[in-house]
């Protein structure tokens, strides 16, 4: 495959950026998208140019570090993470535009790498269950209804990649926060802090500069783990309940 790549290059968050054009030949359709970028960087190194900075870690669709906007879509044309996107999703002669996440809450560090520590701060504000440390309890000591356990497990698959924010016209983090709140709120261990958790996490999301949700649904469409849109309804329901309880 021969490809034309238009890639966002930016030295740091205080610098202006621009799209630069690169051309690649002999790209195999069996390569992953990140392997294609590795080939580009090898080519740039040989030419004495600075390679393109991009994030990656596990390259197995687990960690969410490989977050990119590809032709205007979060993670590209398939419902998967960027590292699990393969070049067979494109055709010979394609022009591919590659950009970092588009959100003021995710400032650019360099090129395609953005600072997503805002998500970490949201989790630190309340996305956990406080427990006494010690030996692990017996597995069946706290019964959990099958329906609730399944829902908690399903929404816990959120990897915090930020695709929901990048896809949302408002830059809202409601799908991410809703997934974390719903996950812990479905478990009996999460009930003690349920009200304070949702208030703290939504307040932190607002403080980080994420936009408000207007129920467009782009977040759920872009989510590589297919987190359902109804976690936002659960988030709003829990927040109203917490406010009624005086939090």
């Amino acid at each position: 495959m021969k490809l034309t790549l238009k890639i966002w290059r930016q030295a740091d968050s205080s610098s202006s950026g621009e799209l630069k054009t690169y051309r690649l030949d002999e790209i195999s359709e069996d390569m992953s998208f990140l392997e294609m970028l590795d080939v580009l960087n090898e080519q740039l190194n040989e030419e004495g140019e600075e390679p393109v900075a991009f994030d990656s870690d596990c390259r197995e669709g687990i960690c969410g570090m490989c977050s990119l906007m590809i032709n205007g879509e979060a993670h590209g044309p398939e419902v998967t993470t960027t590292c699990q996107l393969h070049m067979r999703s494109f055709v010979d002669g394609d022009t591919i535009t590659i950009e970092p996440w588009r959100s003021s809450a995710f400032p650019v560090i360099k090129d395609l790498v953005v600072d997503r520590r805002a998500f970490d701060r949201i989790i630190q504000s309340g996305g956990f269950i406080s427990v006494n440390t010690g030996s692990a309890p017996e597995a069946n000591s706290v019964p959990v209804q099958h329906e609730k356990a399944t829902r908690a497990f399903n929404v816990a698959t959120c990897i915090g990649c930020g695709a929901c924010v990048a896809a949302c016209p408002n830059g809202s983090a409601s799908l991410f926060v809703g997934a974390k709140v719903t996950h812990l709120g479905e478990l009996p261990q999460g009930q003690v802090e349920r009200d304070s958790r949702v208030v703290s996490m939504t307040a932190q999301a607002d403080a980080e500069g994420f936009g408000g949700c207007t129920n467009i649904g782009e977040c759920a469409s872009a989510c590589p783990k297919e987190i359902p849109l109804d976690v936002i309804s659960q988030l709003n329901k829990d927040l109203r309940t917490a406010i009624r309880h005086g939090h």
Side-chain angles (χ1 to χ4, degrees):
M1 296 172 64
K2 293 184 178 181
L3 300 170
T4 299
L5 306 179
K6 294 185 176 181
I7 300 180
W8 186 259
R9 303 302 305 264
Q10 185 172 341
D12 53 51
S13 59
S14 61
S15 304
S16 58
E18 62 178 335
L19 287 170
K20 290 194 174 182
T21 302
Y22 305 95
R23 289 178 175 80
L24 287 178
D25 297 331
E26 299 181 3
I27 295 298
S28 169
E29 65 177 15
D30 294 324
M31 285 183 179
S32 72
F33 199 85
L34 296 187
E35 287 172 336
M36 180 273 294
L37 290 179
D38 289 336
V39 170
L40 170 65
N41 280 343
E42 289 175 4
Q43 176 177 302
L44 293 178
N45 277 324
E46 291 174 359
E47 296 171 353
E49 294 187 42
E50 186 173 8
V52 176
F54 63 92
D55 254 334
S56 70
D57 190 5
C58 72
R59 298 201 179 200
E60 295 180 350
I62 298 171
C63 71
M65 292 294 292
C66 57
S67 305
L68 298 174
M69 293 294 292
I70 302 170
N71 287 342
E73 297 181 273
H75 290 301
E78 309 291 342
V79 182
T80 187
T81 55
T82 299
C83 64
Q84 295 299 295
L85 178 68
H86 287 79
M87 298 313 297
R88 53 181 168 268
S89 296
F90 304 91
V91 298
D92 186 34
D94 265 357
T95 296
I96 306 174
T97 301
I98 309 169
E99 302 166 274
W101 275 172
R102 303 166 177 173
S103 171
S104 59
F106 294 151
V108 172
I109 296 174
K110 185 176 182 180
D111 295 340
L112 303 175
V113 181
V114 299
D115 184 349
R116 289 177 293 172
R117 287 180 294 177
F119 271 9
D120 296 334
R121 291 188 288 270
I122 291 173
I123 294 297
Q124 290 166 3
S125 72
F128 51 83
I129 294 172
S130 299
V131 295
N132 294 325
T133 58
S135 59
E138 200 279 325
N140 296 317
S141 61
V142 181
V144 184
Q145 293 179 8
H146 176 73
E147 181 180 332
K148 290 183 176 295
T150 299
R151 179 163 166 75
F153 178 83
N154 287 340
V155 298
T157 59
C158 169
I159 55 177
C161 66
C164 51
V165 175
C168 177
N170 305 325
S172 174
S174 293
L175 193 76
F176 168 76
V177 179
K180 302 306 179 183
V181 165
T182 301
H183 162 214
L184 299 177
E186 290 288 358
L187 302 175
Q189 297 92 335
Q191 301 311 306
V192 175
E193 296 166 305
R194 185 167 184 167
D195 287 350
S196 60
R197 176 185 304 113
V198 67
V199 170
S200 296
M201 293 182 72
T202 52
Q204 187 64 41
D206 290 343
E208 296 293 344
F210 292 105
C213 175
T214 51
N215 205 31
I216 295 172
E218 289 295 323
C219 54
S221 297
C223 177
K225 298 303 177 180
E226 301 183 86
I227 302 298
L229 195 63
D230 64 4
V231 299
I232 299 179
S233 300
Q234 188 66 54
L235 171 66
N236 293 331
K237 179 181 178 181
D238 283 5
L239 183 59
R240 289 194 299 269
T241 299
I243 292 172
R244 285 200 303 270
H245 290 167
H247 284 269

PDB file of all heavy atoms in Angstrom, residues 67 69 74-75 101 106 116 119 160-168 218-219 222-224:
ATOM      1  N   SER A  67      -4.292   6.732  21.899  1.00  0.00           N
ATOM      2  CA  SER A  67      -5.462   7.506  21.465  1.00  0.00           C
ATOM      3  C   SER A  67      -5.126   8.515  20.366  1.00  0.00           C
ATOM      4  O   SER A  67      -4.294   9.392  20.564  1.00  0.00           O
ATOM      5  CB  SER A  67      -6.053   8.232  22.672  1.00  0.00           C
ATOM      6  OG  SER A  67      -6.338   7.311  23.706  1.00  0.00           O
ATOM      7  N   MET A  69      -6.977  10.787  16.818  1.00  0.00           N
ATOM      8  CA  MET A  69      -8.062  11.097  15.889  1.00  0.00           C
ATOM      9  C   MET A  69      -7.574  10.719  14.502  1.00  0.00           C
ATOM     10  O   MET A  69      -6.535  11.210  14.040  1.00  0.00           O
ATOM     11  CB  MET A  69      -8.413  12.583  15.926  1.00  0.00           C
ATOM     12  CG  MET A  69      -9.022  13.066  17.232  1.00  0.00           C
ATOM     13  SD  MET A  69     -10.652  12.355  17.587  1.00  0.00           S
ATOM     14  CE  MET A  69     -11.662  13.114  16.322  1.00  0.00           C
ATOM     15  N   ALA A  74     -12.451   9.302  16.432  1.00  0.00           N
ATOM     16  CA  ALA A  74     -11.662   8.829  17.567  1.00  0.00           C
ATOM     17  C   ALA A  74     -11.310   7.361  17.372  1.00  0.00           C
ATOM     18  O   ALA A  74     -12.193   6.522  17.184  1.00  0.00           O
ATOM     19  CB  ALA A  74     -12.448   9.006  18.868  1.00  0.00           C
ATOM     20  N   HIS A  75     -10.029   7.031  17.361  1.00  0.00           N
ATOM     21  CA  HIS A  75      -9.491   5.683  17.137  1.00  0.00           C
ATOM     22  C   HIS A  75      -9.676   5.185  15.713  1.00  0.00           C
ATOM     23  O   HIS A  75      -9.291   4.060  15.404  1.00  0.00           O
ATOM     24  CB  HIS A  75     -10.108   4.666  18.108  1.00  0.00           C
ATOM     25  CG  HIS A  75      -9.684   4.832  19.540  1.00  0.00           C
ATOM     26  ND1 HIS A  75      -8.358   4.757  19.937  1.00  0.00           N
ATOM     27  CD2 HIS A  75     -10.404   5.056  20.673  1.00  0.00           C
ATOM     28  CE1 HIS A  75      -8.291   4.925  21.250  1.00  0.00           C
ATOM     29  NE2 HIS A  75      -9.505   5.120  21.716  1.00  0.00           N
ATOM     30  N   TRP A 101      -6.064  14.071  20.432  1.00  0.00           N
ATOM     31  CA  TRP A 101      -7.399  14.313  20.981  1.00  0.00           C
ATOM     32  C   TRP A 101      -7.710  15.803  20.949  1.00  0.00           C
ATOM     33  O   TRP A 101      -6.864  16.633  21.267  1.00  0.00           O
ATOM     34  CB  TRP A 101      -7.482  13.833  22.418  1.00  0.00           C
ATOM     35  CG  TRP A 101      -7.799  12.405  22.711  1.00  0.00           C
ATOM     36  CD1 TRP A 101      -7.738  11.840  23.951  1.00  0.00           C
ATOM     37  CD2 TRP A 101      -8.282  11.358  21.853  1.00  0.00           C
ATOM     38  NE1 TRP A 101      -8.127  10.513  23.901  1.00  0.00           N
ATOM     39  CE2 TRP A 101      -8.473  10.193  22.621  1.00  0.00           C
ATOM     40  CE3 TRP A 101      -8.554  11.300  20.487  1.00  0.00           C
ATOM     41  CZ2 TRP A 101      -8.924   8.991  22.082  1.00  0.00           C
ATOM     42  CZ3 TRP A 101      -9.001  10.101  19.950  1.00  0.00           C
ATOM     43  CH2 TRP A 101      -9.184   8.978  20.734  1.00  0.00           C
ATOM     44  N   PHE A 106      -7.400  18.268  27.569  1.00  0.00           N
ATOM     45  CA  PHE A 106      -6.281  17.378  27.233  1.00  0.00           C
ATOM     46  C   PHE A 106      -5.239  18.175  26.432  1.00  0.00           C
ATOM     47  O   PHE A 106      -5.138  18.025  25.214  1.00  0.00           O
ATOM     48  CB  PHE A 106      -6.749  16.192  26.392  1.00  0.00           C
ATOM     49  CG  PHE A 106      -7.666  15.221  27.083  1.00  0.00           C
ATOM     50  CD1 PHE A 106      -8.595  14.498  26.347  1.00  0.00           C
ATOM     51  CD2 PHE A 106      -7.598  15.016  28.456  1.00  0.00           C
ATOM     52  CE1 PHE A 106      -9.433  13.575  26.972  1.00  0.00           C
ATOM     53  CE2 PHE A 106      -8.445  14.098  29.077  1.00  0.00           C
ATOM     54  CZ  PHE A 106      -9.365  13.381  28.336  1.00  0.00           C
ATOM     55  N   ARG A 116      -3.519  13.596  29.716  1.00  0.00           N
ATOM     56  CA  ARG A 116      -4.846  13.131  30.168  1.00  0.00           C
ATOM     57  C   ARG A 116      -4.915  12.956  31.679  1.00  0.00           C
ATOM     58  O   ARG A 116      -5.741  12.209  32.195  1.00  0.00           O
ATOM     59  CB  ARG A 116      -5.199  11.818  29.453  1.00  0.00           C
ATOM     60  CG  ARG A 116      -5.518  12.003  27.983  1.00  0.00           C
ATOM     61  CD  ARG A 116      -5.774  10.685  27.304  1.00  0.00           C
ATOM     62  NE  ARG A 116      -4.563   9.882  27.260  1.00  0.00           N
ATOM     63  CZ  ARG A 116      -4.543   8.606  26.858  1.00  0.00           C
ATOM     64  NH1 ARG A 116      -5.649   8.012  26.495  1.00  0.00           N
ATOM     65  NH2 ARG A 116      -3.412   7.936  26.827  1.00  0.00           N
ATOM     66  N   PHE A 119      -8.225  12.982  33.849  1.00  0.00           N
ATOM     67  CA  PHE A 119      -8.961  11.766  34.197  1.00  0.00           C
ATOM     68  C   PHE A 119      -8.445  11.191  35.521  1.00  0.00           C
ATOM     69  O   PHE A 119      -9.232  10.704  36.339  1.00  0.00           O
ATOM     70  CB  PHE A 119      -8.809  10.729  33.093  1.00  0.00           C
ATOM     71  CG  PHE A 119      -9.865  10.821  32.016  1.00  0.00           C
ATOM     72  CD1 PHE A 119     -10.749  11.888  31.955  1.00  0.00           C
ATOM     73  CD2 PHE A 119      -9.974   9.833  31.050  1.00  0.00           C
ATOM     74  CE1 PHE A 119     -11.714  11.967  30.962  1.00  0.00           C
ATOM     75  CE2 PHE A 119     -10.939   9.886  30.055  1.00  0.00           C
ATOM     76  CZ  PHE A 119     -11.806  10.964  30.010  1.00  0.00           C
ATOM     77  N   GLY A 160     -10.508   4.435  30.061  1.00  0.00           N
ATOM     78  CA  GLY A 160     -10.102   5.823  30.275  1.00  0.00           C
ATOM     79  C   GLY A 160      -9.268   6.398  29.150  1.00  0.00           C
ATOM     80  O   GLY A 160      -8.383   7.226  29.378  1.00  0.00           O
ATOM     81  N   CYS A 161      -9.547   5.988  27.920  1.00  0.00           N
ATOM     82  CA  CYS A 161      -8.733   6.457  26.791  1.00  0.00           C
ATOM     83  C   CYS A 161      -9.038   7.900  26.421  1.00  0.00           C
ATOM     84  O   CYS A 161      -8.183   8.612  25.904  1.00  0.00           O
ATOM     85  CB  CYS A 161      -8.931   5.551  25.587  1.00  0.00           C
ATOM     86  SG  CYS A 161     -10.590   5.584  24.869  1.00  0.00           S
ATOM     87  N   GLY A 162     -10.271   8.340  26.674  1.00  0.00           N
ATOM     88  CA  GLY A 162     -10.668   9.700  26.350  1.00  0.00           C
ATOM     89  C   GLY A 162     -11.355   9.861  25.012  1.00  0.00           C
ATOM     90  O   GLY A 162     -11.630  10.985  24.586  1.00  0.00           O
ATOM     91  N   ALA A 163     -11.658   8.748  24.328  1.00  0.00           N
ATOM     92  CA  ALA A 163     -12.338   8.845  23.034  1.00  0.00           C
ATOM     93  C   ALA A 163     -13.685   9.545  23.166  1.00  0.00           C
ATOM     94  O   ALA A 163     -14.111  10.281  22.267  1.00  0.00           O
ATOM     95  CB  ALA A 163     -12.527   7.454  22.433  1.00  0.00           C
ATOM     96  N   CYS A 164     -14.367   9.331  24.285  1.00  0.00           N
ATOM     97  CA  CYS A 164     -15.667   9.954  24.514  1.00  0.00           C
ATOM     98  C   CYS A 164     -15.554  11.477  24.516  1.00  0.00           C
ATOM     99  O   CYS A 164     -16.384  12.184  23.939  1.00  0.00           O
ATOM    100  CB  CYS A 164     -16.281   9.455  25.820  1.00  0.00           C
ATOM    101  SG  CYS A 164     -15.194   9.553  27.266  1.00  0.00           S
ATOM    102  N   VAL A 165     -14.500  11.971  25.158  1.00  0.00           N
ATOM    103  CA  VAL A 165     -14.267  13.414  25.214  1.00  0.00           C
ATOM    104  C   VAL A 165     -13.923  13.950  23.832  1.00  0.00           C
ATOM    105  O   VAL A 165     -14.434  14.984  23.391  1.00  0.00           O
ATOM    106  CB  VAL A 165     -13.133  13.739  26.204  1.00  0.00           C
ATOM    107  CG1 VAL A 165     -12.804  15.227  26.186  1.00  0.00           C
ATOM    108  CG2 VAL A 165     -13.511  13.300  27.606  1.00  0.00           C
ATOM    109  N   ALA A 166     -13.037  13.252  23.124  1.00  0.00           N
ATOM    110  CA  ALA A 166     -12.592  13.702  21.813  1.00  0.00           C
ATOM    111  C   ALA A 166     -13.727  13.714  20.794  1.00  0.00           C
ATOM    112  O   ALA A 166     -13.766  14.566  19.904  1.00  0.00           O
ATOM    113  CB  ALA A 166     -11.462  12.810  21.318  1.00  0.00           C
ATOM    114  N   ALA A 167     -14.650  12.768  20.911  1.00  0.00           N
ATOM    115  CA  ALA A 167     -15.750  12.667  19.951  1.00  0.00           C
ATOM    116  C   ALA A 167     -16.881  13.641  20.249  1.00  0.00           C
ATOM    117  O   ALA A 167     -17.615  14.041  19.344  1.00  0.00           O
ATOM    118  CB  ALA A 167     -16.293  11.238  19.934  1.00  0.00           C
ATOM    119  N   CYS A 168     -17.020  14.032  21.504  1.00  0.00           N
ATOM    120  CA  CYS A 168     -18.138  14.888  21.914  1.00  0.00           C
ATOM    121  C   CYS A 168     -17.942  16.327  21.435  1.00  0.00           C
ATOM    122  O   CYS A 168     -16.887  16.915  21.674  1.00  0.00           O
ATOM    123  CB  CYS A 168     -18.264  14.871  23.436  1.00  0.00           C
ATOM    124  SG  CYS A 168     -19.568  15.975  24.071  1.00  0.00           S
ATOM    125  N   GLU A 218     -22.378  10.847  20.566  1.00  0.00           N
ATOM    126  CA  GLU A 218     -21.120  10.557  19.865  1.00  0.00           C
ATOM    127  C   GLU A 218     -20.136   9.823  20.767  1.00  0.00           C
ATOM    128  O   GLU A 218     -19.314   9.030  20.291  1.00  0.00           O
ATOM    129  CB  GLU A 218     -20.488  11.860  19.356  1.00  0.00           C
ATOM    130  CG  GLU A 218     -21.218  12.501  18.202  1.00  0.00           C
ATOM    131  CD  GLU A 218     -21.197  11.645  16.946  1.00  0.00           C
ATOM    132  OE1 GLU A 218     -20.174  10.991  16.693  1.00  0.00           O
ATOM    133  OE2 GLU A 218     -22.213  11.634  16.230  1.00  0.00           O
ATOM    134  N   CYS A 219     -20.214  10.073  22.070  1.00  0.00           N
ATOM    135  CA  CYS A 219     -19.289   9.445  23.017  1.00  0.00           C
ATOM    136  C   CYS A 219     -19.425   7.928  22.998  1.00  0.00           C
ATOM    137  O   CYS A 219     -18.429   7.194  22.904  1.00  0.00           O
ATOM    138  CB  CYS A 219     -19.522   9.981  24.432  1.00  0.00           C
ATOM    139  SG  CYS A 219     -21.244   9.846  24.999  1.00  0.00           S
ATOM    140  N   ALA A 222     -18.163   6.295  19.782  1.00  0.00           N
ATOM    141  CA  ALA A 222     -16.705   6.261  19.622  1.00  0.00           C
ATOM    142  C   ALA A 222     -16.018   5.356  20.630  1.00  0.00           C
ATOM    143  O   ALA A 222     -14.852   5.008  20.441  1.00  0.00           O
ATOM    144  CB  ALA A 222     -16.137   7.678  19.759  1.00  0.00           C
ATOM    145  N   CYS A 223     -16.708   4.942  21.679  1.00  0.00           N
ATOM    146  CA  CYS A 223     -16.076   4.184  22.760  1.00  0.00           C
ATOM    147  C   CYS A 223     -15.607   2.816  22.276  1.00  0.00           C
ATOM    148  O   CYS A 223     -16.417   2.003  21.813  1.00  0.00           O
ATOM    149  CB  CYS A 223     -17.057   3.993  23.921  1.00  0.00           C
ATOM    150  SG  CYS A 223     -16.373   2.995  25.273  1.00  0.00           S
ATOM    151  N   PRO A 224     -14.303   2.517  22.376  1.00  0.00           N
ATOM    152  CA  PRO A 224     -13.817   1.216  21.908  1.00  0.00           C
ATOM    153  C   PRO A 224     -14.290   0.037  22.753  1.00  0.00           C
ATOM    154  O   PRO A 224     -14.229  -1.108  22.307  1.00  0.00           O
ATOM    155  CB  PRO A 224     -12.291   1.369  21.979  1.00  0.00           C
ATOM    156  CG  PRO A 224     -12.063   2.394  23.032  1.00  0.00           C
ATOM    157  CD  PRO A 224     -13.208   3.346  22.899  1.00  0.00           C
TER     158      PRO A 224
END
